[in-house]
Amino acid sequence: MTSKMVIRQPQPTMIIQDSDEWGSDICDCTQDVPECCFGFWCLPCFACSTSKKYGQCLCLPLLDLFGGLISPVTMSMRVSMRERYGIKDTMCKDCVYSTFCVPCSWCQMSREMRRRKIPIVLISSKAT
């Protein structure tokens, strides 16, 4: 009997067909009213919470306070999210939303993360 040495274990893969557009519009606050109220009334806390859920530093959005007219962290998070999820949009829109619609922009990013978060379930089998 010969035995094989396994060098690399098979990795779980998932194929998902998802849209290349945002799952909600910038002003779709009615999809999650409590979240949007939180984002409107306490934007720094909401942005920090959303940033942490995205895998970034908790306090990163606070740097927007030093950004001037355009919120650099908000814009870079939108661009990063578009790249991660394959959303086709323009830098021009990211710039406009990050400048004039900051709370709505963070709410849209939060909704998108929640919509695209797909848990991966690993199933182990017993060797018999």
Side-chain angles (χ1 to χ4, degrees):
M1 174 179 231
T2 63
S3 62
K4 283 181 162 177
M5 181 178 6
V6 177
I7 296 172
R8 204 171 108 193
Q9 293 290 328
Q11 299 297 315
T13 59
M14 182 182 342
I15 298 172
I16 180 165
Q17 295 295 328
D18 213 343
S19 173
D20 62 350
E21 295 179 2
W22 289 98
S24 61
D25 196 24
I26 192 75
C27 293
D28 281 346
C29 292
T30 57
Q31 288 186 1
D32 192 350
V33 175
E35 183 175 79
C36 285
C37 285
F38 179 35
F40 180 76
W41 293 109
C42 191
L43 180 61
C45 296
F46 181 73
C48 289
S49 169
T50 303
S51 176
K52 181 69 175 171
K53 289 176 190 172
Y54 189 65
Q56 297 298 321
C57 176
L58 175 68
C59 296
L60 183 66
L62 297 178
L63 294 175
D64 273 348
L65 299 174
F66 305 107
L69 181 63
I70 298 174
S71 303
V73 175
T74 303
M75 185 167 170
S76 61
M77 286 284 290
R78 284 187 64 83
V79 171
S80 173
M81 191 167 291
R82 284 195 306 105
E83 290 296 315
R84 180 182 288 183
Y85 297 137
I87 298 170
K88 294 182 180 174
D89 214 339
T90 64
M91 289 285 285
C92 182
K93 279 187 182 178
D94 290 335
C95 185
V96 169
Y97 293 156
S98 298
T99 303
F100 300 108
C101 308
V102 178
C104 294
S105 184
W106 279 102
C107 288
Q108 183 186 35
M109 290 188 285
S110 178
R111 287 191 303 268
E112 195 66 28
M113 285 190 314
R114 191 174 54 251
R115 184 178 85 85
R116 294 189 186 242
K117 186 176 182 181
I118 301 164
I120 298 176
V121 179
L122 299 178
I123 301 171
S124 62
S125 61
K126 293 181 180 180
T128 56

